[in-house]
Amino acid sequence: MLQTDVLVIGCGIAGAIAALELAEKGFEVILIGSGTTEWESNSAVAQGGIIFRGQSDSAESLAQDIYKAGAGLSNPAAIDQLVRFGPRFVQELLIDKYKVAFDLQPDGSFCLTEEAAHACPRVVFCRDQTGHAIMQALFEAIRKSPRICFKTRHSAVDLITLSHHSKVMTDIYLPSTCVGAYVMDNVKQHVEIVFAKETILATGGLGEVFLHSTNPKEARGDGLAMAFRAGARVMNLEYIQFHPTALYVPSEKRFLISEVLRGEGAKLLSWDLKPFMDHYHSRGCLAPRDVVSRSIYQEMLKGDAHHLWLDISFKDSSYLKDRFPKIHSYCLSKGLDMTKEPLPIVPAAHYACGGVAVDEWGHTSIQRLRAIGEVSCTGLHGANRLASTSLLEGLVWAKNCADHLAKELPLRKDYFPLVEEWQMSEEIVDGALIQQDWMTIKQTMWNYVGLVRDKNRLCRALKMLEQLKWDIESFYAKARLTPELLGLRNGVQTALLITLGALRNRQSLGCHFRLN
Ligand SMILES: Cc1cc2nc3c(=O)[nH]c(=O)nc-3n(C[C@H](O)[C@H](O)[C@H](O)COP(=O)(O)OP(=O)(O)OC[C@H]3O[C@@H](n4cnc5c(N)ncnc54)[C@H](O)[C@@H]3O)c2cc1C
């Protein structure tokens, strides 16, 4: 059994910033990540950049862009928090404190790029590896911090709550409260109790429950599923943003091909290499992200194709290599040369606008449990996300959550109950079951709960996923716990929550598109 001031679950931008800011204020922090290395997060693979401020930019202009992109469903309080603190924290934390080396112009000012639906260029970046550069700086600081105990290959299994786990029977009458988590050492396959005065969920997204996803394999909604099981309020889960262009190489993980390529003139081509976007939208390849994603999906259905094409090979090759070094070298490693040939692409699940419902300081509906970053739903994104707002959202909520908590923790007297040790069952789970169940989840989500939804598809998905969840819970109860089994259990729960959200909401809005 371990005990700490704060347990931070997830080491992307949100978890890393929260851990650093709390440790700096004198609190002991345990920070865990489930990946084999610290690099397995959405934050580390973010390409495009993070919102800062443009030349003649204003908080009002950014607020308007977020509100428009969110199709009117964004939470005004969340927008206000982001535009008020966002650019300031990029300056004070990322640039001044952690020394992230954003790309500079020859005159020393920051290079700014204009992304789709932004009123002006206001996004700073580090070539096409912004996330990597930010996380490198944060991991360096974490390694130097004596108060952060940082462990990768450690997965939270379930949150420990008074009502579910306390051995004191009458604790069920106390307000719903989290006191830590059961955490698995993925290598030793041993589960330990970690008690914490406060637990912060920063487990990121859930794209991996879909067949095609730009996210790393840890993004299967672990935090969402754990919070839901603990009784937390979750919301807006039907709003899944799909990215139009992920590289399609069979049997390889999908790799994001930045929208900046289309901004630079890249053309989408049908299976038989013909332009088609003008049939779908007056802005052609520069139509809004969701229109482009759905158009590609429709063209794929029409041609019974596994993928379409994206062509930028007509541009100067040295320019392409310099502007997109990561994309260029990744494609080359898969035998594809973007300077000479069109790239095979598919749309892919990219970002979850919904999640665990939180306020401006990351409070969930459970006491002593906060959520920050992509796992949370601050309401900022409403029904759709404005490009490059999510790294900033993680930064702002992590910092404000840490500051708020630092004031509150010393004034509290936190109760830790006696709880059951983890009981490890012995039955070895059949790997084939896990693999097949994942295929069922991913195919079902892609075909029935994907880019284009209707009542029949969603009802079919619900029926299949409910049965699957029942089967998985049955063998989970008696099987020896592994990181794979833990992930499957969370994956099916996450898929069900998205499906229920999509079924209940009959109104097409933002990235939730229903035929009927
Ligand atoms: C390819 C790609 C490109 C993107 N580009 C941009 C961009 O240019 N600009 C932008 O603003 N946004 C971008 N995004 C979105 C953005 O990267 C994410 O929304 C953001 O990084 C999420 O940060 P986070 O800290 O909430 O989660 P993540 O960075 O995903 O971190 C989640 C962490 O939780 C850990 N974890 C998960 N489950 C468990 C568990 N059970 N136990 C312990 N740890 C667990 C993971 O190991 C990981 O460390 C992009 C996303 C992708 C996938």
Side-chain angles (χ1 to χ4, degrees):
M1 195 265 282
L2 293 172
Q3 187 161 336
T4 184
D5 290 331
V6 185
L7 169 64
V8 181
I9 307 174
C11 58
I13 188 168
I17 290 282
L20 281 165
E21 293 298 305
L22 282 158
E24 193 185 80
K25 293 179 172 72
F27 298 97
E28 297 296 326
V29 178
I30 295 181
L31 170 66
I32 60 168
S34 55
T36 318
T37 71
E38 63 270 42
W39 294 105
E40 283 145 53
S41 68
N42 279 356
S43 300
V45 294
Q47 293 178 355
I50 183 166
I51 290 173
F52 185 33
R53 60 172 87 86
Q55 300 267 314
S56 51
D57 206 1
S58 66
E60 293 71 35
S61 162
L62 175 57
Q64 238 175 41
D65 290 348
I66 296 171
Y67 190 73
K68 247 193 267 168
L73 191 68
S74 296
N75 174 5
I79 297 185
D80 183 54
Q81 164 139 309
L82 187 103
V83 303
R84 220 149 37 92
F85 293 102
R88 193 180 116 196
F89 290 169
V90 171
Q91 180 71 54
E92 289 176 4
L93 297 181
L94 298 187
I95 297 169
D96 297 341
K97 191 177 198 176
Y98 299 115
K99 313 273 181 235
V100 179
F102 291 110
D103 285 6
L104 298 175
Q105 307 265 26
D107 66 2
S109 62
F110 289 109
C111 295
L112 295 171
T113 188
E114 180 171 356
E115 298 209 14
H118 283 269
C120 64
R122 56 163 74 103
V123 173
V124 284
F125 56 90
C126 307
R127 298 290 162 93
D128 55 359
Q129 296 167 70
T130 308
H132 189 275
I134 293 175
M135 293 315 298
Q136 194 160 35
L138 300 183
F139 290 142
E140 224 175 279
I142 286 172
R143 274 189 282 273
K144 287 184 196 148
S145 170
R147 292 200 192 85
I148 302 178
C149 167
F150 183 23
K151 306 175 187 207
T152 56
R153 299 181 187 222
H154 279 70
S155 306
V157 181
D158 255 323
L159 299 169
I160 303 176
T161 65
L162 293 183
S163 44
H164 293 85
H165 303 99
S166 174
K167 283 186 180 173
V168 180
M169 283 196 305
T170 49
D171 277 356
I172 52 169
Y173 301 113
L174 295 175
S176 186
T177 305
C178 174
V179 296
Y182 288 108
V183 173
M184 171 176 235
D185 178 328
N186 296 354
V187 180
K188 294 186 188 145
Q189 307 221 333
H190 166 76
V191 178
E192 191 159 32
I193 292 170
V194 180
F195 278 130
K197 293 178 183 164
E198 192 87 3
T199 302
I200 301 180
L201 278 175
T203 50
L206 47 73
E208 277 293 285
V209 302
F210 290 88
L211 182 63
H212 301 296
S213 142
T214 60
N215 296 185
K217 68 179 188 341
E218 287 72 25
R220 56 202 176 191
D222 281 17
L224 176 77
M226 285 189 285
F228 178 75
R229 284 194 293 270
R233 180 178 177 221
V234 299
M235 65 190 294
N236 286 3
L237 290 167
E238 62 273 41
Y239 300 110
I240 304 289
Q241 188 176 66
F242 290 83
H243 195 283
T245 53
L247 189 70
Y248 178 81
V249 180
S251 77
E252 291 281 348
K253 188 115 202 35
R254 302 291 163 258
F255 173 80
L256 182 112
I257 305 291
S258 165
E259 282 184 290
V260 182
L261 262 82
R262 276 181 291 119
E264 301 273 346
K267 293 279 168 268
L268 283 161
L269 303 175
S270 63
W271 169 243
D272 49 356
L273 294 166
K274 296 198 175 74
F276 63 90
M277 271 311 298
D278 289 343
H279 305 314
Y280 288 94
H281 198 275
S282 56
R283 294 197 65 207
C285 293
L286 293 178
R289 186 179 269 192
D290 301 293
V291 177
V292 178
S293 298
R294 280 197 296 274
S295 309
I296 297 174
Y297 177 73
Q298 304 283 28
E299 281 293 307
M300 284 169 62
L301 280 184
K302 247 202 251 169
D304 197 17
H306 292 298
H307 67 84
L308 302 187
W309 303 99
L310 182 72
D311 188 21
I312 195 161
S313 59
F314 48 85
K315 281 252 182 183
D316 178 61
S317 77
S318 41
Y319 170 75
L320 290 178
K321 285 179 205 166
D322 184 55
R323 178 67 182 89
F324 304 108
K326 177 75 183 172
I327 297 175
H328 177 256
S329 67
Y330 183 86
C331 292
L332 267 191
S333 75
K334 303 297 163 204
L336 298 159
D337 188 345
M338 68 192 274
T339 68
K340 296 202 173 96
E341 59 194 333
L343 300 172
I345 51 92
V346 280
H350 186 53
Y351 185 80
C353 299
V356 183
V358 296
D359 66 10
E360 290 94 305
W361 301 276
H363 288 112
T364 66
S365 57
I366 296 181
Q367 294 194 1
R368 290 166 61 186
L369 176 68
R370 302 206 190 197
I372 50 176
E374 194 171 338
V375 66
S376 69
C377 179
T378 62
L380 176 77
H381 309 293
N384 210 344
R385 176 187 71 126
L386 180 70
S388 290
T389 42
S390 36
L391 285 171
L392 192 64
E393 184 191 35
L395 174 72
V396 169
W397 262 259
K399 168 76 172 144
N400 283 344
C401 162
D403 287 353
H404 188 265
L405 194 51
K407 285 191 197 128
E408 193 190 278
L409 272 182
L411 308 175
R412 289 185 354 201
K413 260 203 153 43
D414 290 310
Y415 164 55
F416 293 100
L418 276 178
V419 303
E420 291 288 349
E421 290 293 326
W422 184 264
Q423 301 298 320
M424 190 63 101
S425 307
E426 280 313 313
E427 209 171 292
I428 302 295
V429 73
D430 179 359
L433 279 183
I434 294 191
Q435 215 175 21
Q436 175 55 38
D437 287 353
W438 262 123
M439 274 328 288
T440 307
I441 295 170
K442 284 167 176 271
Q443 294 274 6
T444 306
M445 292 304 285
W446 184 252
N447 290 315
Y448 297 159
V449 198
L451 284 141
V452 178
R453 298 158 174 176
D454 73 20
K455 191 173 167 203
N456 285 341
R457 292 176 191 178
L458 292 167
C459 286
R460 176 76 80 90
L462 188 65
K463 213 163 131 192
M464 291 171 72
L465 292 167
E466 273 176 341
Q467 177 64 45
L468 191 60
K469 178 169 182 292
W470 196 87
D471 292 342
I472 291 170
E473 288 290 349
S474 314
F475 70 72
Y476 178 87
K478 52 187 188 215
R480 185 169 179 79
L481 187 62
T482 61
E484 293 76 23
L485 179 56
L486 174 168
L488 178 66
R489 181 186 184 222
N490 290 329
V492 74
Q493 179 64 75
T494 299
L496 251 178
L497 289 171
I498 299 168
T499 306
L500 272 169
L503 186 61
R504 283 182 189 151
N505 185 353
R506 294 169 66 174
Q507 186 194 0
S508 288
L509 191 71
C511 51
H512 172 54
F513 184 80
R514 276 193 66 161
L515 289 174
N516 60 55

